Amino acid sequence: MDMDLSTLSEQDISTQFVIPALLRAGWDLRRQVREQVSFTKGRIIVRGRLHTRGNGRRADIVLYQQPNQPIAVIEVKKATLAVGAGMQQALDYAESLQVPFVFSTNGRGILFHDRSGTGGPGEPVETELGLDAFPTPQELWRRWCLWRGLDDAQQARAVAPYHDDGSGRAPRYYQLNAINRTVEAVVRGQDRILLVMATGTGKTYTAFQIIWRLWKSGQKKRILFLADRNILVDQTRTNDFKPFGAAMTKITGRRIDKSYEIYLSLYQAVTGTDEASNIYRQFSPDFFDLVVIDECHRGSAAEDSAWRDILDHFAGATHIGLTATPKETRDVSSLGYFGEPVYSYSLKQGIDDGFLAPYKVVRIDLDRDLQGWRPPKGMLDRSGQVIEDRIYNLKDMDRALVLDARTDLVARKITEFLQATDPMQKTIVFCSDIDHAERMRQALVNLNPERVRANRKYVMRITGDDVEGKAELDNFIDPEQPYPVIATTSKLMTTGVDAQTCKLIVLDQHIQSMTEFKQIIGRGTRINEDHGKFWFTIMDFKKATELFADPAFDGDPVAVFEPGPGDPVTPPDEPPAGMPDGSGPAAPSPSPDGGFPDGGDGDGTGAGAGEGRRVKYRVGADQVSVQIVAERVQYYGSDGRLVTESLRDYTRSCVKKQFASLDDFLRRWNDAEQKKAVIDELAAQGVIWEALQEDVAAKGGGTALDPFDLVCHVAFDRPPLTRRERADSVRKRDYFARYQGTARQVLEALLDKYADTGVEPIEDLKILQMPPFSQIGAPLELVGAFGGKKQYTQAIQDLEVQLYA
């Protein structure tokens, strides 16, 4: 029997030993056991204009109490390995899935790791068990409930069913965590609950499943869902909340129909300036059992906010807050009202898991922003106003001072970027106010005359005061609609705009807080594979990506910079003169609450402190010029610092993580039965072979290099050989003399194929179906010329030994 086990694959071990053991323990294979559970997609890795995906995470077996309620992870390894060989991998999966019970097995026995601490005094964390001693569902569920602090009455309510529309759609693992943790909190009697989930991770769908489970199980009979944008309410009603059907209504008028159970409302629709217009008071304080507040960071927790009035009126209900950014200011915090989140899923996690788009940051620093500008005494602006004599810097631009040359330069850099990449990629330009958005629209129109003549909606201003622009918002966010392409805006599109195909976000706005920054960036984080949206670019003219860097939540941007002709470029290790860190003079310091000391209202008409209406001067391009000081792409390192990294540096670090030395690499390469395995391993680490080949060729390193030579050259500084040079070297050694007839013809053709296309194609048997092999004979005949498949495979491996000798 031992011999039999040692020849079995992991899947064989699972099918023949683990699944029968689960059946004997009473597990329901249809409802409680899932094999090969993929729960992440694999991070999207971007280099230049190319991208690839890393490996997703997949658990061998996940056990469930009921559908969508995971409670244990099992990792299966071959019988030739130790029983605990899969434990560390399984523990990693269990931590993400938030399950306390972890098993590793090799088919001979089980190692059980209990993270719950519910096994009783003196019980070890890890215990070796026989296959026949696998815990029953009842035992693991009992321990689970102890771990979660649920008594007998609460247990039954915690397993309220999910909504299943029959399409096969299921919540992602982090949505399950959020839903289950929230339902458990409600069941335990917690009445103020906070969920933190990054923009683009499906907060509304998560909210729907929470409400559905509590509503269908009768735990919450009447629910109020509040949002701060009409578009959010309408999207919620017609999309994720649609299954509520006739039980749901949207509050629109001043009279309330109290016959519904699910109410959706714009919070402004139920509050007013006086007591009579506060229609929420038509509901008795105990009418709603549950109030869900979407985007609760926008002031719902502030004691003087309209949202707080609603929450106070329905104080007896359970309040659940959803946000991408838990804190708005130091003094008014969602955490202060709701308490610590029951679950958080960050942008960084979403990017690492491959559910959200990574991003690269193009930083463009302008001389007047960084060095400041002081007008000559008595200088007049375009309107004939005398410009106040003081130094104007970054925070003044387009708020107190408009430089036409600056507007034109920003528009030109946006246009250059689009023309160099894809002129039809959806782009949002965030401007300081409505006036700035209109001037930017005009500048972009004038720089793109052919595009605008083809369709006048190529560039549009989409702001709150523009009826036609607002009417085009749906077309902008619709992936199937090509126009508008470029949207200039100020505040309207910071939240509630699900722009799945937005590939460029331009920051030319004086951003007031970390919250606002995160919301703006959230417009680009969605992935749309059908339309080629895998990553996006932030073009930053306002140093916002430096001021609001939050690597723990936002992850590390990925980027490669491609400067236009004649543009000044900051080399990776040479910051501009006078800027020791490459970042320029310090930008205005945020005030303690995350905003700025003189923050305006964003429309260009707000009052400064004690000065009435803010004065704005406009200076023509013929009066003041503006130049680029530095243009570069930056990454956030693991320590949160902005760094610039070349493709070679990145590849070198990827290879060195996998192989400590050239000998280690050579050993792995030579031991691999198929070189494709090593190539794929490095691709999963982030090496993009096509981009690396282009980079090496551009620097005179040769074209048509094999991945083997690319690694040796870039990571270990060895001179490379081209594939053709390697193939010619094999021929000179007369390696083929040992083969005759058809076999020799095949090997010579394979060597030519290697020189043309690389090592991976020659390792694939399907190559024998293609010319010139198909002209020599049928695949079966060609393999037979070597004596069979085993001998053919050995011949390919021998050929590779010769190639890399």
Side-chain angles (χ1 to χ4, degrees), residues 48 65 94 196 278 406 441 444 457 517 523 529 575 600 668 677 699 726 788:
Q65 168 62 19
V196 179
N278 285 332
R406 187 187 182 285
R441 184 198 67 80
L444 287 165
K457 295 179 180 179
F517 174 70
R523 301 314 102 213
E529 297 190 14
R668 175 71 181 95
K699 294 177 174 62
R726 288 192 175 277

Side-chain angles (χ1 to χ4, degrees), residues 402-424:
V402 174
L403 299 179
D404 286 346
R406 187 187 182 285
T407 305
D408 293 340
L409 181 55
V410 170
R412 190 166 74 246
K413 296 311 296 181
I414 295 168
T415 300
E416 287 176 6
F417 182 89
L418 293 176
Q419 289 174 346
T421 52
D422 174 12
M424 294 301 292

